Amino acid sequence: RDYEALPTRSEAMVHVAMINLMTRRLTGESTPTWRGT
């Protein structure tokens, strides 16, 4: 499926990713990733 058919939806995905990144940087927590690092 193409979840990014609407520009507003892809913009919302970018916002969610940036919020996730900023909260991890502010709290200093490192969560395990799928890369195994």
Side-chain angles (χ1 to χ4, degrees):
R1 287 186 184 175
D2 184 18
Y3 289 108
E4 297 177 355
L6 299 175
T8 54
R9 186 169 292 180
S10 60
E11 182 183 352
M13 288 293 187
V14 171
H15 281 288
V16 169
M18 288 296 114
I19 289 170
N20 187 15
L21 182 67
M22 290 296 272
T23 53
R24 279 193 286 141
R25 285 186 180 177
L26 289 172
T27 59
E29 291 184 17
S30 60
T31 57
T33 62
W34 57 271
R35 293 186 187 103
T37 57

